[in-house]
Amino acid sequence: AEIEMLLELHGLRESESMYVVRHDMIDTRKNIIYVNGAMVPDKSHKYVEKETNKNYTSTRNVPIMIPRLAALVKVHQDSKTPLPCHSASALLSHVHKTCQRAGITDVGNHSLRKSFASLCFSKGIPDKQIQEWCEIENKDKLPYERRLPTPSVCSTGKKRHRKDC
Protein backbone atom coordinates (compact mmCIF):
# COMPACT_ATOMS: atom_id res chain seq x y z
CA ALA A 1 0.00 0.00 0.00
CA GLU A 2 3.02 2.29 0.35
CA ILE A 3 3.24 2.85 -3.40
CA GLU A 4 -0.44 3.82 -3.60
CA MET A 5 -0.11 6.14 -0.59
CA LEU A 6 2.89 7.80 -2.25
CA LEU A 7 0.89 8.19 -5.46
CA GLU A 8 -1.84 9.96 -3.50
CA LEU A 9 0.89 12.12 -1.95
CA HIS A 10 1.58 13.10 -5.58
CA GLY A 11 -1.93 14.49 -6.01
CA LEU A 12 -3.62 11.43 -7.51
CA ARG A 13 -7.15 10.44 -6.58
CA GLU A 14 -7.65 7.03 -5.02
CA SER A 15 -9.24 5.72 -8.25
CA GLU A 16 -6.34 7.09 -10.32
CA SER A 17 -3.64 5.57 -8.11
CA MET A 18 -5.27 2.14 -8.37
CA TYR A 19 -5.32 2.41 -12.19
CA VAL A 20 -1.75 3.72 -12.44
CA VAL A 21 -0.48 0.84 -10.28
CA ARG A 22 -2.42 -1.77 -12.24
CA HIS A 23 -1.04 -0.54 -15.57
CA ASP A 24 2.47 0.38 -14.39
CA MET A 25 2.17 3.95 -15.67
CA ILE A 26 5.20 5.24 -13.77
CA ASP A 27 8.38 6.08 -15.68
CA THR A 28 11.27 5.95 -13.21
CA ARG A 29 13.80 7.07 -15.85
CA LYS A 30 11.92 10.30 -16.59
CA ASN A 31 10.43 10.54 -13.06
CA ILE A 32 6.90 10.93 -14.43
CA ILE A 33 3.55 9.49 -13.37
CA TYR A 34 1.15 9.20 -16.31
CA VAL A 35 -2.37 9.78 -15.00
CA ASN A 36 -4.85 8.46 -17.53
CA GLY A 37 -7.68 6.18 -16.37
CA ALA A 38 -9.32 5.11 -13.14
CA MET A 39 -10.59 2.12 -11.18
CA VAL A 40 -14.16 2.71 -10.00
CA PRO A 41 -16.75 0.51 -8.28
CA ASP A 42 -19.61 -0.75 -10.43
CA LYS A 43 -23.20 -1.30 -9.26
CA SER A 44 -22.20 -4.52 -7.48
CA HIS A 45 -19.26 -2.73 -5.77
CA LYS A 46 -16.59 -4.54 -7.80
CA TYR A 47 -13.78 -2.43 -9.22
CA VAL A 48 -13.77 -1.97 -12.96
CA GLU A 49 -11.38 -0.12 -15.22
CA LYS A 50 -12.43 3.17 -16.72
CA GLU A 51 -10.19 4.39 -19.53
CA THR A 52 -10.94 8.02 -18.76
CA ASN A 53 -10.41 10.01 -15.60
CA LYS A 54 -12.99 12.04 -13.70
CA ASN A 55 -12.91 14.69 -16.44
CA TYR A 56 -10.76 15.87 -19.35
CA THR A 57 -8.32 17.90 -17.26
CA SER A 58 -7.68 14.90 -14.99
CA THR A 59 -5.48 13.33 -17.67
CA ARG A 60 -2.08 14.71 -16.78
CA ASN A 61 1.61 13.92 -16.22
CA VAL A 62 2.87 14.48 -12.70
CA PRO A 63 6.57 14.59 -11.76
CA ILE A 64 7.80 12.25 -9.06
CA MET A 65 8.69 14.56 -6.19
CA ILE A 66 9.28 11.94 -3.48
CA PRO A 67 12.29 9.74 -4.35
CA ARG A 68 10.96 6.82 -2.27
CA LEU A 69 8.18 6.29 -4.84
CA ALA A 70 10.61 5.92 -7.73
CA ALA A 71 12.81 3.57 -5.67
CA LEU A 72 9.90 1.27 -4.76
CA VAL A 73 8.56 1.18 -8.31
CA LYS A 74 12.02 0.50 -9.75
CA VAL A 75 12.42 -2.57 -7.51
CA HIS A 76 9.20 -4.02 -8.93
CA GLN A 77 10.07 -3.11 -12.51
CA ASP A 78 13.60 -4.57 -12.24
CA SER A 79 12.30 -7.83 -10.77
CA LYS A 80 9.42 -7.87 -13.30
CA THR A 81 6.88 -8.29 -10.50
CA PRO A 82 3.56 -6.45 -10.77
CA LEU A 83 3.00 -3.45 -8.55
CA PRO A 84 0.73 -4.30 -5.62
CA CYS A 85 -2.85 -3.05 -5.97
CA HIS A 86 -5.11 -2.74 -2.92
CA SER A 87 -8.81 -2.04 -2.59
CA ALA A 88 -9.87 1.42 -1.46
CA SER A 89 -10.84 0.18 2.01
CA ALA A 90 -7.54 -1.69 2.44
CA LEU A 91 -5.63 1.40 1.35
CA LEU A 92 -7.52 3.60 3.82
CA SER A 93 -6.76 1.09 6.57
CA HIS A 94 -3.04 1.31 5.70
CA VAL A 95 -3.19 5.11 5.81
CA HIS A 96 -4.77 5.06 9.29
CA LYS A 97 -2.23 2.51 10.59
CA THR A 98 0.67 4.51 9.15
CA CYS A 99 -0.56 7.67 10.87
CA GLN A 100 -0.89 5.82 14.18
CA ARG A 101 2.62 4.34 13.91
CA ALA A 102 4.08 7.73 13.05
CA GLY A 103 2.21 9.41 15.91
CA ILE A 104 0.67 12.02 13.61
CA THR A 105 -2.88 13.24 13.07
CA ASP A 106 -4.98 10.53 11.46
CA VAL A 107 -5.89 11.53 7.91
CA GLY A 108 -7.81 10.07 5.00
CA ASN A 109 -6.75 9.46 1.43
CA HIS A 110 -7.95 12.85 0.20
CA SER A 111 -5.68 14.59 2.73
CA LEU A 112 -2.71 12.87 1.10
CA ARG A 113 -3.78 14.34 -2.23
CA LYS A 114 -4.01 17.83 -0.72
CA SER A 115 -0.57 17.43 0.88
CA PHE A 116 1.02 17.27 -2.56
CA ALA A 117 -0.05 20.85 -3.23
CA SER A 118 1.62 21.89 0.04
CA LEU A 119 4.78 19.99 -0.92
CA CYS A 120 4.87 21.79 -4.27
CA PHE A 121 4.33 25.13 -2.53
CA SER A 122 7.24 24.43 -0.17
CA LYS A 123 9.46 23.83 -3.24
CA GLY A 124 8.47 27.18 -4.78
CA ILE A 125 6.43 25.74 -7.65
CA PRO A 126 4.05 28.31 -9.20
CA ASP A 127 0.34 28.12 -8.40
CA LYS A 128 -0.63 27.50 -12.03
CA GLN A 129 1.59 24.40 -12.21
CA ILE A 130 0.29 23.11 -8.85
CA GLN A 131 -3.28 23.56 -10.07
CA GLU A 132 -2.50 21.53 -13.20
CA TRP A 133 -0.74 18.66 -11.42
CA CYS A 134 -3.33 18.45 -8.65
CA GLU A 135 -6.20 19.22 -10.99
CA ILE A 136 -7.47 22.11 -8.87
CA GLU A 137 -9.85 24.23 -10.94
CA ASN A 138 -10.09 27.23 -8.64
CA LYS A 139 -7.00 28.92 -7.14
CA ASP A 140 -9.01 29.47 -3.93
CA LYS A 141 -9.05 25.69 -3.46
CA LEU A 142 -5.28 25.53 -3.08
CA PRO A 143 -4.34 24.42 0.45
CA TYR A 144 -4.72 27.04 3.15
CA GLU A 145 -0.95 27.17 3.67
CA ARG A 146 -0.52 28.47 0.11
CA ARG A 147 -2.86 31.38 0.68
CA LEU A 148 -1.20 32.69 3.83
CA PRO A 149 0.65 36.01 3.51
CA THR A 150 4.35 35.51 2.89
CA PRO A 151 6.49 36.18 5.97
CA SER A 152 8.97 39.01 5.69
CA VAL A 153 11.22 40.98 7.99
CA CYS A 154 9.75 44.32 9.06
CA SER A 155 11.75 47.46 9.69
CA THR A 156 11.85 46.45 13.37
CA GLY A 157 13.85 43.36 12.38
CA LYS A 158 11.12 40.99 13.58
CA LYS A 159 9.78 38.32 11.27
CA ARG A 160 6.13 39.08 10.55
CA HIS A 161 3.59 38.70 7.85
CA ARG A 162 3.60 41.55 5.32
CA LYS A 163 0.13 42.66 6.34
CA ASP A 164 1.51 43.42 9.82
CA CYS A 165 4.38 45.66 8.62
Side-chain angles (χ1 to χ4, degrees):
E2 184 178 3
I3 290 173
E4 289 143 310
M5 288 189 284
L6 287 168
L7 285 168
E8 289 182 16
L9 274 170
H10 281 80
L12 276 66
R13 291 180 180 83
E14 181 179 285
S15 62
E16 294 169 338
S17 68
M18 291 170 69
Y19 189 88
V20 164
V21 163
R22 180 170 244 176
H23 292 279
D24 196 10
M25 299 171 74
I26 304 166
D27 187 333
T28 54
R29 286 187 320 273
K30 294 181 181 175
N31 277 331
I32 299 281
I33 304 162
Y34 301 103
V35 185
N36 183 17
M39 296 288 295
V40 295
D42 64 11
K43 292 177 183 176
S44 60
H45 305 289
K46 291 184 180 178
Y47 282 93
V48 294
E49 291 186 16
K50 188 176 147 192
E51 290 184 14
T52 57
N53 297 61
K54 185 175 179 181
N55 54 47
Y56 174 75
T57 58
S58 297
T59 299
R60 61 205 186 277
N61 297 334
V62 179
I64 296 175
M65 305 278 280
I66 303 170
R68 174 83 176 145
L69 175 61
L72 287 171
V73 169
K74 189 157 177 23
V75 167
H76 283 279
Q77 289 172 340
D78 289 348
S79 65
K80 300 200 183 324
T81 56
L83 296 173
C85 186
H86 298 83
S87 70
S89 59
L91 182 57
L92 184 59
S93 176
H94 283 288
V95 170
H96 291 315
K97 288 176 186 173
T98 301
C99 290
Q100 287 174 344
R101 277 195 308 269
I104 60 174
T105 302
D106 192 14
V107 298
N109 297 11
H110 192 70
S111 295
L112 298 178
R113 181 171 145 72
K114 288 174 138 182
S115 295
F116 181 64
S118 295
L119 172 65
C120 290
F121 164 65
S122 73
K123 294 187 173 281
I125 294 170
D127 288 353
K128 186 166 176 55
Q129 186 64 67
I130 296 171
Q131 284 178 266
E132 182 181 311
W133 288 338
C134 298
E135 210 229 330
I136 299 170
E137 295 169 16
N138 184 336
K139 195 174 186 177
D140 293 334
K141 289 187 177 183
L142 284 170
Y144 177 73
E145 294 85 355
R146 182 64 176 131
R147 292 182 274 131
L148 288 174
T150 307
S152 65
V153 177
C154 297
S155 57
T156 60
K158 294 182 180 177
K159 192 173 184 179
R160 298 184 181 203
H161 285 93
R162 286 193 180 118
K163 66 180 175 100
D164 297 331
C165 295

